[in-house]
Amino acid sequence: MIRRNQRLRREYLYSKSLEGADRAQFEKKRRIRQALEEGKPIPTELRNEEHELRRQIDLEDQERQANDLFLFCCVWRLGDAVPTNIVDNEYATATIREPKIMLTTSRNPSSPLIQFVKWLPVNLNIMFFAPYCCSFLCQVISEIVEACRSHDITDLILVHEHRGKPDGLIVSHLPHGPTAYFGLLNVVTRHDIKDRKTMGKMSEAYPHLILDNFSTKIGERTATILKHLFPVPKPDSKRIITFANRDDYISFRHHVYEKPGGPKSIDLKEVGPRFELRLYQIKLGTVELSEAKSEFVLRPYINTAKKQRTLGA
């Protein structure tokens, strides 16, 4: 089993490297095309490769003209579409099956952490919930990941705490990654929300998602990681979960709504919990791989003269 996983990991990394080379080549040809169309000089860093790139562009144009127009339009325009590979897409099968999530914490979680974590299975489609299950937590992280793979788990979520306060959330997509590391801030549990007694029993229907202001490349990547933790809801579901990005802090809110006076009258109630997430790292691998390549690392003190936006505008 270990050798098989190592082989699959090597194949995954090899396909990733091929995709990176294809994207780099595509970007160079796109810049050449743009310079030629706008009548601008070729970028200095591409002049040594200009002859070969223009030859490839001419070959693509000839192939485009030779292909049948209908088939050509159904696939993509070779000069405009970004190359993708379904084998290399970590979430290629996410729409085929529902997510199956393992949620766990440290070996001896505090009471506030247990109180916070026990509501997450209602918000997510969690199949295994073991905040203090000795059969899982007496093992090291690598063994936990192997157990998740053997049980066909799609995502592993680990919640960390510091002095009784939840302060970290790790989302690791299986079997090969990616793994997103979030900081947890301003955690308010369901018990601490005002007027919680009037909320009633929390619905377990699959929620609708609102993803606001994830416009950059890293923002889209983060939104993909978060949204695939939730199954597809039914159209009549009255639960709403919101991930709203403001200044690279992702606010999590959970509401239910009713229509007491008809379709134009909506009563919105917050049912909790609520918290903020701060993304600080994305790794191209699962959580136990310390040597995995980092796709994104937050460096807040670099280039502070101008305020930067990582996730959205």
Side-chain angles (χ1 to χ4, degrees):
M1 180 64 70
I2 295 178
R3 290 183 177 179
R4 178 177 178 271
N5 289 333
Q6 290 176 347
R7 176 177 57 81
L8 293 175
R9 175 66 182 170
R10 287 195 299 268
E11 293 176 355
Y12 169 75
L13 292 176
Y14 177 68
S15 62
K16 265 290 183 186
S17 64
L18 291 181
E19 183 194 15
D22 291 342
R23 287 181 178 273
Q25 191 73 358
F26 165 80
E27 182 64 22
K28 290 178 181 179
K29 289 188 284 187
R30 186 194 66 79
R31 294 177 65 186
I32 292 286
R33 286 179 182 272
Q34 183 178 2
L36 294 175
E37 291 175 358
E38 297 178 358
K40 296 181 179 179
I42 302 299
T44 306
E45 61 272 17
L46 298 179
R47 288 179 183 175
N48 293 333
E49 306 176 63
E50 177 185 359
H51 179 72
E52 178 62 22
L53 291 174
R54 293 188 68 167
R55 186 184 68 83
Q56 294 179 14
I57 291 173
D58 292 339
L59 290 176
E60 288 180 359
D61 291 340
Q62 293 175 10
E63 184 180 357
R64 181 191 309 176
Q65 295 173 2
N67 288 337
D68 180 74
L69 182 60
F70 176 76
L71 294 176
F72 163 71
C73 293
C74 289
V75 182
W76 60 64
R77 294 184 61 194
L78 294 177
D80 296 336
V82 177
T84 57
N85 184 1
I86 192 170
V87 177
D88 191 45
N89 185 359
E90 303 97 336
Y91 295 94
T93 61
T95 56
I96 300 175
R97 58 174 183 167
E98 289 189 352
K100 190 177 180 182
I101 299 170
M102 166 69 183
L103 172 65
T104 187
T105 67
S106 59
R107 284 186 175 86
N108 299 306
S110 64
S111 176
L113 183 62
I114 295 175
Q115 191 179 49
F116 168 72
V117 169
K118 77 176 185 178
W119 292 110
L120 290 181
V122 182
N123 293 327
L124 305 174
N125 187 32
I126 292 177
M127 298 297 181
F128 292 86
F129 170 50
Y132 38 86
C133 178
C134 296
S135 62
F136 274 101
L137 295 175
C138 64
Q139 307 175 49
V140 297
I141 293 295
S142 59
E143 293 177 350
I144 294 177
V145 173
E146 280 303 319
C148 291
R149 287 196 181 106
S150 63
H151 286 83
D152 200 25
I153 302 295
T154 61
D155 295 273
L156 171 64
I157 299 179
L158 296 96
V159 185
H160 294 279
E161 65 175 337
H162 179 68
R163 295 184 178 180
K165 294 184 179 180
D167 69 338
L169 186 73
I170 301 176
V171 180
S172 183
H173 184 66
L174 300 175
H176 301 303
T179 299
Y181 296 79
F182 297 93
L184 270 175
L185 305 95
N186 304 326
V187 176
V188 179
T189 63
R190 175 177 164 87
H191 295 279
D192 297 329
I193 294 179
K194 187 179 179 180
D195 299 331
R196 65 179 180 86
K197 293 183 180 180
T198 62
M199 298 176 185
K201 185 178 179 180
M202 183 183 293
S203 171
E204 296 186 7
Y206 294 158
H208 295 283
L209 295 183
I210 298 176
L211 298 167
D212 181 46
N213 197 25
F214 293 88
S215 56
T216 65
K217 185 177 179 181
I218 296 298
E220 293 175 356
R221 178 69 155 166
T222 306
T224 300
I225 294 172
L226 293 175
K227 73 181 180 181
H228 284 110
L229 296 174
F230 299 86
V232 179
K234 293 183 179 180
D236 58 349
S237 175
K238 296 183 179 181
R239 292 180 63 201
I240 300 174
I241 286 181
T242 303
F243 291 96
N245 171 44
R246 295 296 181 271
D247 295 339
D248 292 343
Y249 287 88
I250 304 171
S251 297
F252 175 92
R253 297 294 185 269
H254 179 205
H255 295 85
V256 295
Y257 70 91
E258 297 177 354
K259 298 179 179 179
K264 294 184 178 180
S265 176
I266 295 179
D267 185 13
L268 191 66
K269 293 182 180 180
E270 184 179 3
V271 294
R274 79 166 78 113
F275 52 86
E276 269 70 48
L277 296 170
R278 182 76 188 273
L279 176 70
Y280 63 88
Q281 190 175 20
I282 297 178
K283 278 191 169 184
L284 294 175
T286 48
V287 65
E288 86 282 9
L289 298 176
S290 59
E291 74 281 1
K293 182 181 178 181
S294 294
E295 181 179 357
F296 164 78
V297 178
L298 178 66
R299 295 183 175 91
Y301 300 109
I302 295 179
N303 194 15
T304 57
K306 182 178 179 181
K307 195 172 184 180
Q308 300 295 312
R309 291 289 183 272
T310 302
L311 302 179

